[in-house]
């Protein structure tokens, strides 16, 4: 099925088949009512199961110290050629479901490729920030009577969850923004150039992470796709693990240089974005 976020959320929230069938192209073509009912209930149960699985995965990460530092997205409303309004984009639970699916995919792909190619896999690390980086955050929280602990990602996440002003919810958003500014930028690396104890992703609370889900817009993801295809073939004992794909992979020194270039271009892009 091809669903937009809003339709998927409406199905999870309990909207009926009669309300939804015209919005879902695959269902609108079915004429048999029983088949239509069965297909719709199957779709609903699948979405509910997916939401349940990703919610548990997210809670497990948060228990380990995963940080929620996302900023509020805005949407622009236009009337003909003029801007009419700017307002916060509605946040739906299904957004988190999809985001967790992507994080889960990236994590398991990272585990697979680093297992098969421990010396030349492309992963992404996020080192813990220097404690001095949190000075502004700690100072702002103290002005409201809160203490921020920053010894670990779990301590930071717990502190931010505690800093809530019921009369002014924007305060927590601002504190999370300050925490974002304290972060060190995540970087791509070749596994043969970094010792394994430093592969961790601080913000996501994961021991291995990479970028796999967006090959249409990131070259790093294309490399990871090639590594995954080669890793799957290598692990296929039935086929003997023989495939030409492994011969086309970068060696550690080549991958290290490529990661440095990608990181530099990424920083340049972010700087251009901030300046625009």
């Amino acid at each position: 099925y091809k669903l937009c976020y809003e339709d998927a959320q409406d199905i999870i929230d309990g909207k009926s088949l009669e309300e939804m069938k015209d919005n879902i192209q695959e269902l609108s073509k079915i004429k048999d009512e029983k088949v239509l009912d069965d297909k719709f209930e199957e779709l609903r149960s699948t979405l509910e199961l997916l939401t349940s699985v990703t919610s548990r995965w997210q809670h497990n990460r948060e228990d380990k110290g995963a940080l929620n530092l996302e900023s509020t997205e805005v949407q622009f409303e236009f009337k003909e050629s003029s801007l009419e309004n700017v307002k916060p984009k509605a946040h739906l639970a299904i957004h988190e479901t999809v985001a967790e699916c992507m994080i889960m995919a990236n994590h398991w792909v990272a585990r697979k490729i680093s297992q098969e190619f421990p010396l030349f896999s492309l992963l992404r690390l996020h080192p813990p920030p220097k404690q001095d980086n949190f000075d502004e955050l700690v100072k702002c929280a103290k002005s409201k009577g809160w203490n921020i602990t920053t010894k670990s990602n779990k301590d930071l996440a717990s502190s931010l969850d505690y800093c809530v002003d019921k009369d002014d919810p924007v305060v927590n958003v601002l504190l999370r923004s300050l925490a974002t500014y304290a972060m060190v930028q995540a970087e791509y690396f070749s596994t043969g150039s970094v010792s394994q104890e430093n592969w961790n992703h601080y913000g996501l609370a994961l021991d291995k992470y990479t970028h796999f889900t967006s090959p249409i817009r990131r070259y790093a993801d294309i490399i990871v796709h090639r590594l995954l295809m080669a890793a799957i073939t290598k692990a296929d004992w039935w086929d003997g693990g023989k495939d030409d794909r492994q011969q086309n992979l970068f060696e550690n020194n080549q991958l290290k240089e490529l990661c440095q270039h990608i990181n530099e271009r990424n920083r340049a892009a972010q700087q251009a974005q901030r300046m625009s």
Side-chain angles (χ1 to χ4, degrees):
Y1 298 96
K2 186 176 182 180
L3 301 173
C4 66
Y5 287 112
E6 290 76 12
D7 287 342
Q9 187 65 58
D10 284 342
I11 293 172
I12 293 171
D13 291 342
K15 279 200 173 183
S16 67
L17 170 60
E18 193 63 33
E19 293 174 289
M20 299 302 304
K21 65 180 181 180
D22 291 335
N23 294 358
I24 305 170
Q25 185 177 6
E26 293 83 357
L27 296 181
S28 63
K29 297 176 181 178
I30 300 174
K31 303 303 181 184
D32 187 300
E33 289 190 9
K34 185 178 186 312
V35 173
L36 185 58
D37 285 338
D38 290 344
K39 289 288 186 183
F40 184 70
E41 287 308 314
E42 179 184 336
L43 175 59
R44 189 197 303 277
S45 63
T46 301
L47 287 171
E48 289 173 346
L49 177 61
L50 184 64
T51 301
S52 175
V53 170
T54 55
S55 177
R56 181 171 297 183
W57 165 266
Q58 182 180 12
H59 289 151
N60 286 341
R61 288 196 307 107
E62 289 173 349
D63 287 343
K64 295 176 182 177
L67 301 172
N68 178 13
L69 302 177
E70 291 185 1
S71 57
T72 302
E73 290 187 61
V74 297
Q75 64 181 26
F76 299 88
E77 295 181 349
F78 291 90
K79 188 174 183 180
E80 296 179 356
S81 59
S82 60
L83 178 64
E84 190 173 64
N85 191 20
V86 179
K87 64 181 183 180
K89 189 175 182 180
H91 183 75
L92 304 175
I94 195 68
H95 290 150
E96 292 191 13
T97 298
V98 174
E100 286 300 319
C101 284
M102 295 173 70
I103 293 171
M104 198 183 306
N106 288 333
H107 171 64
W108 284 100
V109 168
R111 291 185 61 167
K112 178 63 177 179
I113 62 176
S114 61
Q115 176 186 346
E116 298 298 334
F117 306 117
L119 297 180
F120 50 88
S121 284
L122 188 154
L123 300 190
R124 188 165 175 82
L125 61 81
H126 184 213
K130 296 178 180 178
Q131 289 300 302
D132 293 348
N133 293 7
F134 292 113
D135 287 349
E136 194 67 28
L137 170 64
V138 172
K139 187 187 302 182
C140 288
K142 190 169 288 187
S143 70
K144 296 285 291 184
W146 298 317
N147 291 319
I148 295 280
T149 305
T150 61
K151 291 181 179 179
S152 68
N153 53 357
K154 186 172 178 61
D155 289 336
L156 176 60
S158 299
S159 296
L160 289 171
D161 288 341
Y162 177 78
C163 298
V164 176
D165 186 339
K166 295 180 180 179
D167 298 324
D168 190 1
V170 175
V171 172
N172 187 263
V173 176
L174 293 175
L175 291 176
R176 291 181 187 275
S177 295
L178 288 174
T180 301
Y181 286 121
M183 294 296 116
V184 178
Q185 188 169 0
E187 291 189 337
Y188 299 107
F189 69 98
S190 173
T191 50
S193 301
V194 178
S195 56
Q196 189 166 347
E197 60 266 23
N198 295 322
W199 291 5
N200 299 323
H201 196 293
Y202 176 88
L204 297 176
L206 293 171
D207 61 338
K208 297 180 183 70
Y209 193 68
T210 191
H211 275 164
F212 161 78
T213 53
S214 298
I216 62 171
R217 66 184 181 89
R218 288 189 301 236
Y219 182 53
D221 298 51
I222 294 175
I223 298 172
V224 171
H225 273 250
R226 292 171 182 166
L227 283 160
L228 180 61
M229 291 300 295
I232 292 171
T233 304
K234 182 182 177 185
D236 185 3
W237 61 267
W238 190 269
D239 190 44
K242 297 178 181 178
D243 191 90
D244 292 339
R245 292 186 183 93
Q246 296 180 41
Q247 298 176 8
N248 298 323
L249 300 178
F250 292 110
E251 294 295 332
N252 177 52
N253 287 336
Q254 294 173 305
L255 188 57
K256 179 181 177 181
E257 291 181 7
L258 183 59
C259 287
Q260 290 173 347
H261 176 72
I262 295 175
N263 291 332
E264 289 171 2
R265 291 298 86 206
N266 187 36
R267 285 191 289 269
Q270 290 186 344
Q271 185 176 2
Q273 183 179 5
R274 286 193 294 267
M275 294 174 65
S276 63

